[in-house]
Amino acid sequence: MCEFKNTRSVKIGGRNGIKEITIGGGNPVTIQTMWKEDIRNVKEGSEELKKTLLQINELKGLGCDIIRFAVPDMESADALNIISRNTDLPLVADIHFDYRLALECLKGNVAVIRINPGNIGKRENVEAVVKGCQKKGLAIRIGINTGSIPADLEKLVEEKKLSRTDALVQTALKETEIFEELGFKNYVVSMKASSVEETIKANEAFARISDVPLHIGVTEAGPLITGVVKSTLALSHLLKEGIGDTVRVSLSSSPDNEVITAREILHECGLRKGGVTLVSCPRCGRIGFDVHSFVDRWQKKLMAMNKNITVAVMGCVVNGPGEGKHADIGIAGGGNKAIIFKKGKIVRTIDAKDADKVFKEELETL
Ligand code: SF4
């Protein structure tokens, strides 16, 4: 028998035109990211709103299911309410310190309120948010980080009487008790640490005793490469054990990169099927084609395509088609020429300067 519990289902969205997603209960693992800009300039009918909606759609195209927005003040709450009324993607209001910001966000069309009980104050404040969400059919994420463990538990950690991992789990369980006492079941929990080991241990310990769905991720994971490494290690370990119902990769990089990383982790763990698989060679001294810049130009476009294909971008005509013969379509170059190949067979030989144009034409035939 599996040592970890099957999670219950939590419904998010599904009202006022927002896409409905079920988290947990064996449903597909969803991808989240976080908005990285101040949204206070977003007003009804503004250019900022148009730009924001465009970027939301791009993230959706890359495979993002849910986007979280920081709400540090009432102006941000108003702006998020506007954004939430103009997209069908489930949005999360991220609240710290002031529960009244959460209540303000209930006036818009967000799908989830994330609160950090460690800094939201008295139990009445948590209750007010829970009751508001209950009334409007919203979900809640209880988001706990190693940096916001309650003072009594933090003291035990400092005195080395309790591990930081156990402190995270105990904090989460204490909060879930409040939610259960209030009869509110539509919530998920996250326990995040910046260490891979603590993240894994805390989520494993929680999943042994609770059926509440888990949002998993490594917090403050670092710059692109470091963050990808840490997130991949922690998330792939947990996901392969069946732990984790929704994921966020936190990077000191763009939301696009967070979504692409999460998507690749899920794909490689066998939890997200389909889409474009991009293989590209690292380049070497045989290079006849600038693989790196071609990949930079095409990666996001390919990721946003609704095709189940493998695309190969190879540096030279000598080895490229052979190394990429499993690909549905590939491109390789040599000098002023480039070749397009399909399943290892050359279908076009073109001027290198036309590479993007011809590659696009051939891609559209698949
Ligand atoms: S495809 Fe060509 S350029 Fe790329 S790594 Fe292989 S041999 Fe080197």
Side-chain angles (χ1 to χ4, degrees):
M1 208 178 81
C2 178
E3 65 175 304
F4 305 113
K5 290 193 179 283
N6 293 328
T7 52
R8 61 170 88 147
S9 298
V10 166
K11 186 185 85 110
I12 72 165
R15 59 178 198 114
N16 303 336
I18 302 294
K19 191 179 166 204
E20 182 172 318
I21 297 177
T22 307
I23 294 178
N27 285 286
V29 178
T30 49
I31 294 174
Q32 313 204 12
T33 187
M34 190 156 183
W35 201 255
K36 310 227 171 185
E37 312 299 332
D38 182 342
I39 54 172
R40 285 175 295 182
N41 286 335
V42 176
K43 312 281 178 207
E44 204 68 74
S46 65
E47 273 308 304
E48 278 301 316
L49 176 61
K50 274 191 215 152
K51 273 198 266 172
T52 303
L53 296 174
L54 198 67
Q55 200 187 340
I56 288 175
N57 274 339
E58 280 170 12
L59 289 167
K60 192 171 149 187
L62 289 173
C64 181
D65 302 298
I66 300 160
I67 305 179
R68 178 162 52 118
F69 287 76
V71 182
D73 49 35
M74 285 293 175
E75 269 181 282
S76 304
D78 292 342
L80 180 55
N81 286 344
I82 293 169
I83 298 165
S84 68
R85 290 191 199 101
N86 285 281
T87 176
D88 67 349
L89 202 73
L91 305 184
V92 183
D94 188 74
I95 310 293
H96 289 264
F97 306 112
D98 189 349
Y99 77 104
R100 289 168 299 183
L101 296 169
L103 300 184
E104 189 64 22
C105 291
L106 296 180
K107 296 177 186 166
N109 206 19
V110 298
V112 183
I113 301 286
R114 181 264 169 133
I115 51 171
N116 182 340
N119 64 30
I120 210 85
K122 294 177 289 199
R123 177 172 164 145
E124 297 99 271
N125 300 349
V126 175
E127 282 188 23
V129 177
V130 170
K131 285 185 180 151
C133 289
Q134 209 159 24
K135 203 164 149 203
K136 291 207 76 175
L138 268 67
I140 295 180
R141 167 156 74 97
I142 302 173
I144 296 156
N145 292 349
T146 41
S148 57
I149 291 168
D152 54 336
L153 293 178
E154 187 60 44
K155 189 164 175 282
L156 292 176
V157 173
E158 279 161 20
E159 290 167 358
K160 305 218 179 308
K161 291 178 183 155
L162 185 71
S163 70
R164 200 163 286 283
T165 305
D166 287 341
L168 272 177
V169 177
Q170 284 187 24
T171 307
L173 290 172
K174 211 167 108 197
E175 294 307 323
T176 62
E177 269 171 33
I178 298 175
F179 278 49
E180 298 291 324
E181 274 169 32
L182 295 169
F184 187 78
K185 303 251 177 221
N186 212 38
Y187 66 95
V188 304
V189 159
S190 65
M191 292 158 296
K192 295 192 185 175
S194 58
S195 123
V196 171
E197 196 185 335
E198 283 174 351
T199 303
I200 291 174
K201 282 189 174 162
N203 283 284
E204 284 179 341
F206 188 88
R208 278 190 196 100
I209 47 182
S210 173
D211 70 347
V212 174
L214 283 167
H215 164 128
I216 58 171
V218 178
T219 192
E220 295 141 16
L224 187 61
I225 297 173
T226 314
V228 168
V229 170
K230 282 182 162 188
S231 301
T232 305
L233 284 170
L235 299 194
S236 60
H237 182 105
L238 289 166
L239 291 166
K240 284 189 178 257
E241 292 181 314
I243 300 172
D245 302 286
T246 180
V247 300
R248 184 212 171 177
V249 170
S250 304
L251 301 173
S252 303
S253 181
S254 66
D256 295 7
N257 282 335
E258 292 190 356
V259 172
I260 292 170
T261 308
R263 179 179 152 158
E264 294 297 306
I265 293 171
L266 292 183
H267 196 265
E268 292 305 317
C269 288
L271 294 169
R272 192 167 272 225
K273 306 261 181 276
V276 173
T277 302
L278 177 60
V279 294
S280 59
C281 87
R283 281 174 45 164
C284 72
R286 290 188 196 87
I287 184 87
F289 179 65
D290 191 353
V291 173
H292 297 183
S293 69
F294 191 87
V295 168
D296 280 348
R297 287 197 301 280
W298 278 89
Q299 184 186 23
K300 283 177 194 161
K301 285 183 219 159
L302 289 167
M303 294 283 164
M305 287 176 82
N306 195 16
K307 290 184 194 280
N308 296 332
I309 54 169
T310 298
V311 176
V313 183
M314 312 304 277
C316 71
V317 287
V318 183
N319 289 344
E323 288 176 11
K325 66 172 173 281
H326 57 288
D328 296 286
I329 183 168
I331 184 162
N336 296 327
K337 297 283 173 199
I339 55 164
I340 308 278
F341 53 93
K342 289 182 176 165
K343 301 273 186 201
K345 293 209 169 63
I346 297 172
V347 293
R348 308 260 308 251
T349 301
I350 56 174
D351 277 350
K353 65 174 172 37
D354 297 328
D356 288 77
K357 183 175 140 282
V358 178
F359 179 72
K360 182 168 179 280
E361 282 167 18
E362 289 297 328
L363 197 57
E364 281 165 0
T365 66
L366 296 178

